[in-house]
Amino acid sequence: MFNNDLMADVHFVVGPPGGTQRLPGHKYVLAVGSSVFHAMFYGELAEDKDEIRIPDVDPAAFLAMLKYIYCDEIDLAADTVLATLYAAKKYIVPHLARACVNFLETSLSAKNACVLLSQSCLFEEPDLTQRCWEVIDAQAELALKSEGFCDIDFQTLESILRRETLNAKEIVVFEAALNWAEVECQRQDLALSIENKRKVLGKALYLIRIPTMALDDFANGAAQSGVLTLNETNDIFLWYTAAKKPELQFVSKARKGLVPQRCHRFQSCAYRSNQWRYRGRCDSIQFAVDKRVFIAGFGLYGSSCGSAEYSAKIELKRQGVVLGQNLSKYFSDGSSNTFPVWFEYPVQIEPDTFYTASVILDGNELSYFGQEGMTEVQCGKVTVQFQCSSDSTNGTGVQGGQIPELIFYA
């Protein structure tokens, strides 16, 4: 009977003017599936209408809700899931609403986290809001540079700019706010001028912690943007250089950011006169976690023959697809400590799936290596499992070798 005119005793005209769709319904079936429909058709204030107009719901989303009520089937798509969530909330269909939230959580990434944060607050979904904040905090620079950031409302903008745990350079926060202001001017049909950008930002401008920027970032970026007044620019320069610092309207305390956690997979390390050698070969290990985390980098061993510099190409893959890689150098002091090597941006890791961590090192051939490796490590609230990787061509495995640490945010 789903979407079938046979014996239909009500019709819905769904969607905004110019984009409506006429859909059939059966009052009894709908009333069983939704208390709102029950009140609409059989309650004390029920209206006996053959046609009901619903201009605020997307037709595809309304159909998805009807399909669930009639068939007990949940059919969600990325481009309509938010509209379906709105419909499920409006007509109090809680199981469908929960399925929509689960769908959004699994598809959550830095690209859509800011938009979903705005929507999760609107729909009063605290769990989804928390998941959005986790992504935005850990992958702040990617989230702030995403197109979706410019689509958020002013209240969400303020909450992000106020966030203490944003893991981003302040110049990136500043540039993101200006990008948002430019799009907001277009939304309000304002000319794209410096004055109007500042106008739409309002007091939110002072939530950007400009005095905490690196001096180069301020001098070459914010100071020349035109958004700051001459007095503000002068006062901030004095803040950087003068012993007696002027009072500023801007927040002058740096954000706390996030503290990375380290998962160490070896119980001991060692060196021998003929190990560990590098000849452009790959050291690799597979791992899986039981909670979503964000891999920021790896902790690597250094030279066992005194201080030395290494070139490291690090890579993170899932089922052969490269998710992140970086080529950088690090200095080891001859100790058995690990030395951090970072990805450009933290990489989102989903639970219960194996990922491959790889590194190709170039430098002093003799290095420390790990021993007594563990197949499972409890790191805070995160459990990490390790297994050998077929990509490893230089001897690294679960029991011993390189890549002793995963550095992550959780």
Side-chain angles (χ1 to χ4, degrees):
M1 302 305 292
F2 164 64
N3 200 22
N4 193 333
D5 271 307
L6 181 65
M7 292 190 288
D9 51 0
V10 66
H11 284 80
F12 301 95
V13 180
V14 186
T20 59
Q21 193 172 338
R22 194 169 187 266
L23 303 172
H26 307 80
K27 292 181 180 180
Y28 175 75
V29 177
L30 294 169
V32 169
S34 161
S35 58
V36 174
F37 282 130
H38 184 276
M40 184 186 295
F41 300 137
Y42 302 112
E44 293 179 5
L45 301 177
E47 296 182 30
D48 191 19
K49 288 183 178 180
D50 292 332
E51 191 171 272
I52 298 171
R53 295 189 175 275
I54 308 175
D56 60 328
V57 176
D58 178 76
F62 196 80
L63 265 174
M65 181 181 70
L66 292 185
K67 188 172 185 179
Y68 171 71
I69 292 174
Y70 277 78
C71 311
D72 200 26
E73 291 180 18
I74 296 175
D75 188 11
L76 300 174
D79 55 345
T80 58
V81 63
L82 280 171
T84 305
L85 176 58
Y86 174 78
K89 289 276 188 176
K90 178 176 180 177
Y91 292 98
I92 311 180
V93 187
H95 188 72
L96 178 61
R98 185 68 249 164
C100 290
V101 171
N102 290 340
F103 183 95
L104 290 168
E105 286 182 359
T106 55
S107 61
L108 185 60
S109 70
K111 291 181 180 179
N112 60 15
C114 294
V115 171
L116 291 183
L117 174 68
S118 179
Q119 297 294 330
S120 67
C121 295
L122 180 68
F123 291 133
E124 297 180 339
E125 286 290 342
D127 289 345
L128 180 57
T129 300
Q130 178 59 31
R131 298 290 180 276
C132 291
W133 277 126
E134 289 171 5
V135 174
I136 293 168
D137 281 343
Q139 296 182 301
E141 294 196 358
L142 284 175
L144 292 169
K145 291 176 180 178
S146 68
E147 290 182 14
F149 179 78
C150 295
D151 296 330
I152 62 177
D153 58 89
F154 183 75
Q155 187 176 355
T156 305
L157 174 73
E158 280 192 309
S159 65
I160 292 174
L161 296 182
R162 194 177 280 116
R163 189 78 173 168
E164 188 70 32
T165 45
L166 274 188
N167 193 35
K169 294 177 182 176
E170 208 62 30
I171 186 64
V172 175
V173 179
F174 178 80
E175 290 169 350
L178 289 193
N179 291 337
W180 179 89
E182 185 174 320
V183 175
E184 183 65 15
C185 285
Q186 295 170 354
R187 281 193 285 261
Q188 296 187 22
D189 292 324
L190 298 173
L192 285 178
S193 65
I194 295 295
E195 293 76 17
N196 284 337
K197 286 183 183 180
R198 178 157 181 144
K199 178 183 175 182
V200 296
L201 281 172
K203 291 183 178 180
L205 178 65
Y206 297 111
L207 298 174
I208 305 170
R209 308 188 183 194
I210 294 176
T212 69
M213 288 181 187
L215 181 55
D216 282 353
D217 288 341
F218 174 70
N220 298 316
Q224 297 187 45
S225 67
V227 173
L228 305 179
T229 66
L230 190 58
N231 283 340
E232 287 170 343
T233 303
N234 287 338
D235 283 349
I236 293 170
F237 267 121
L238 286 173
W239 174 268
Y240 282 109
T241 57
K244 185 179 180 182
K245 301 186 184 299
E247 286 191 15
L248 301 174
Q249 285 185 275
F250 295 93
V251 179
S252 56
K253 184 181 177 183
R255 300 179 198 272
K256 291 179 181 177
L258 293 176
V259 178
Q261 298 184 44
R262 292 177 179 244
C263 174
H264 198 91
R265 67 188 191 92
F266 295 125
Q267 298 180 70
S268 65
C269 71
Y271 70 91
R272 299 192 186 107
S273 59
N274 63 344
Q275 289 183 336
W276 191 274
R277 292 185 179 277
Y278 305 109
R279 297 184 181 88
R281 294 175 181 170
C282 179
D283 286 292
S284 184
I285 193 73
Q286 288 195 326
F287 70 93
V289 293
D290 64 342
K291 292 181 176 62
R292 175 185 284 156
V293 300
F294 303 86
I295 296 290
F298 305 147
L300 304 178
Y301 289 126
S303 169
S304 58
C305 301
S307 59
E309 186 178 65
Y310 284 91
S311 172
K313 180 186 178 183
I314 60 173
E315 190 174 76
L316 199 55
K317 293 191 296 187
R318 177 182 179 180
Q319 296 175 347
V321 178
V322 176
L323 304 177
Q325 60 181 194
N326 200 17
L327 179 63
S328 62
K329 294 184 177 181
Y330 70 95
F331 182 80
S332 70
D333 58 9
S335 71
S336 60
N337 295 332
T338 57
F339 303 91
V341 180
W342 308 95
F343 289 105
E344 184 178 3
Y345 301 109
V347 180
Q348 182 170 314
I349 302 297
E350 296 300 331
D352 305 322
T353 301
F354 274 95
Y355 292 77
T356 303
S358 302
V359 60
I360 298 175
L361 287 168
D362 183 22
N364 191 324
E365 282 197 347
L366 294 177
S367 164
Y368 287 94
F369 59 93
Q371 297 183 132
E372 300 178 276
M374 296 173 281
T375 56
E376 186 172 296
V377 180
Q378 188 70 34
C379 192
K381 295 182 179 179
V382 180
T383 302
V384 187
Q385 291 181 313
F386 293 97
Q387 68 180 26
C388 293
S389 167
S390 59
D391 290 353
S392 191
T393 57
N394 198 42
T396 289
V398 174
Q399 297 302 318
Q402 300 299 318
I403 318 180
E405 281 184 341
L406 301 178
I407 306 173
F408 65 94
Y409 302 114

